[in-house]
Amino acid sequence: MEARMTSPANPDVITAIQHLYKAIHAGGVDQRLLSLVHLRASQINGCSPCIFATIQPAKKAGETEERLHNVVAWRETPFYTEQERAALALTEAATRLQDGAPGVTDEIWDAAVDHFSEEQLGAIILEVALTNFFNRINRTIREQAGKTW
């Protein structure tokens, strides 16, 4: 598979994305949890560059190989806290918006509200949205994992 473009972003877009990241990181959510959210959304969307780019920074922030390898099956493993499970359920529901999908149900939302402040929820939701944004761009232009960033 060959990439379709070499540089799809312009400087104004890069600046806007940097502001979004600043807002996400100001939300008070642990970086390791944001990495799990990014990784899970990217797995759902099949975005190899985002999956690749998440692993090293997550490990540097203290995430374990075991948890990174098992986030794809987080429901069936004992490696995640209830707070992390609530964030991962929210991530999946907000990412899977295809025809007929229920999206974020009241049950999923209520579980997230039980574990996060409104500011933290805003950061998680923005992380999910920004991840999906990157996933869609990367899939469209056939970006290669590890090739450019």
Side-chain angles (χ1 to χ4, degrees):
M1 184 169 80
E2 292 292 321
R4 291 178 169 151
M5 296 177 72
T6 56
S7 181
N10 69 42
D12 290 337
V13 173
I14 300 299
T15 300
I17 290 168
Q18 289 171 337
H19 286 292
L20 291 171
Y21 273 126
K22 184 177 178 182
I24 291 168
H25 294 292
V29 179
D30 185 284
Q31 180 57 46
R32 291 177 303 162
L33 179 54
L34 291 174
S35 293
L36 294 176
V37 164
H38 185 85
L39 180 58
R40 186 65 194 120
S42 297
Q43 289 171 336
I44 290 166
N45 292 322
C47 182
S48 66
C50 285
I51 292 168
F52 179 85
T54 302
I55 301 302
Q56 289 306 325
K59 287 171 33 178
K60 196 174 198 176
E63 196 52 80
T64 67
E65 293 273 349
E66 184 175 57
R67 286 166 42 91
L68 290 168
H69 286 295
N70 284 284
V71 74
V72 70
W74 63 270
R75 285 181 179 84
E76 291 79 29
T77 64
F79 308 128
Y80 308 97
T81 67
E82 289 304 312
Q83 181 186 52
E84 291 165 338
R85 291 174 185 281
L88 291 168
L90 180 61
T91 298
E92 288 186 358
T95 298
R96 292 187 168 128
L97 297 176
Q98 70 275 16
D99 294 340
V104 179
T105 64
D106 289 340
E107 179 183 11
I108 292 169
W109 181 256
D110 292 344
V113 167
D114 287 345
H115 294 284
F116 299 101
S117 69
E118 194 164 296
E119 185 178 37
Q120 290 172 318
L121 280 170
I124 292 168
I125 292 165
L126 190 53
E127 177 69 28
V128 172
L130 192 56
T131 300
N132 279 282
F133 170 79
F134 283 125
N135 292 169
R136 280 152 179 77
I137 290 171
N138 288 332
R139 292 291 309 265
T140 299
I141 66 169
R142 294 183 179 164
E143 184 64 46
Q144 301 291 295
K147 291 277 186 168
T148 56
W149 43 268

